[in-house]
Amino acid sequence: MTTHQIEQLYVEGIINDDTLTDILHQWAVVPLLYDDGHEIKVEDYFNHLEHSLGVEAYAAAQSLYELSVQASRRFAEPDVYEVLQDCISLQEDLWMTNVLTLGDWIHWMEQAAQGQLNLPVVDFHSLFEDLPEGYMIQDFHDDLLFMLEQEDHPKYQEALQQQQSLYRQLGVSAS
């Protein structure tokens, strides 16, 4: 079973909206239960699912969760793992708002797990001076969205460029 099989099962109606959302929500939030990526296991994801899965759905979810565990091991050290957690959480938000496709999200995670990409690098201070401790990519994204709601904002164009750069680094296709 490939990780992209989950998309096919959804299209075929084998996985419904609620089940897909549950599977992907666990994909995004279970890593938040850990301080580093050394201990997380595939079973941890299944233990938090609210929906029971049929054989095909279970196998497809397992492929996703194995991919996440692999990425967690690659970025296991606490500071880097925190960035991975933040990225995955933001990717869930972007998927839910149809900014990021499921295929692009899976592709990004595959590349991250296989060492073919690095986690996003964002210059928070390019737009903001005084930032609170613990300011993360998701906070930056929220602040960018606020700035982009104001077309007359003096840093609108820079915010738009930062958003496009962040989205590219998170796997959002340019389509």
Side-chain angles (χ1 to χ4, degrees):
M1 181 78 49
T2 67
T3 52
H4 293 278
Q5 187 66 31
I6 199 156
E7 292 176 291
Q8 187 62 36
L9 294 175
Y10 177 71
V11 169
E12 293 173 1
I14 295 170
I15 296 176
N16 65 27
D17 288 337
D18 290 340
T19 301
L20 179 65
T21 299
D22 187 22
I23 290 168
L24 296 176
H25 182 66
Q26 300 317 317
W27 198 32
V29 300
V30 168
L32 297 173
L33 302 175
Y34 293 86
D35 294 329
D36 62 51
H38 295 289
E39 302 299 322
I40 193 168
K41 299 177 294 304
V42 170
E43 298 79 32
D44 297 328
Y45 295 89
F46 286 108
N47 290 339
H48 291 87
L49 285 173
E50 294 180 13
H51 295 85
S52 60
L53 303 178
V55 173
E56 290 178 291
Y58 186 93
Q62 182 171 355
S63 294
L64 286 179
Y65 299 156
E66 287 171 352
L67 194 60
S68 184
V69 168
Q70 186 179 351
S72 295
R73 296 290 187 275
R74 178 165 179 249
F75 299 107
E77 296 310 311
D79 289 346
V80 180
Y81 185 71
E82 189 174 82
V83 175
L84 177 66
Q85 291 169 316
D86 199 31
C87 289
I88 297 169
S89 179
L90 178 54
Q91 286 170 319
E92 180 188 23
D93 291 347
L94 296 176
W95 172 74
M96 291 176 65
T97 57
N98 296 314
V99 172
L100 179 66
T101 67
L102 177 55
D104 287 342
W105 189 8
I106 293 169
H107 181 70
W108 183 92
M109 187 67 84
E110 287 171 339
Q111 289 183 309
Q114 296 167 4
Q116 297 173 352
L117 65 77
N118 293 316
L119 296 177
V121 175
V122 181
D123 180 8
F124 299 142
H125 296 286
S126 67
L127 291 172
F128 308 107
E129 293 176 21
D130 296 324
L131 298 173
E133 189 172 327
Y135 191 83
M136 302 284 294
I137 291 172
Q138 196 150 16
D139 301 315
F140 183 69
H141 180 257
D142 292 345
D143 289 340
L144 285 175
L145 290 180
F146 179 75
M147 288 176 76
L148 292 171
E149 289 174 357
Q150 307 165 46
E151 290 186 32
D152 61 342
H153 193 285
K155 293 188 177 184
Y156 179 87
Q157 285 301 323
E158 188 176 351
L160 185 59
Q161 290 172 345
Q162 289 286 343
Q163 181 193 45
Q164 290 168 345
S165 173
L166 176 60
Y167 283 2
R168 270 191 311 280
Q169 293 181 75
L170 291 172
V172 175
S173 293
S175 55

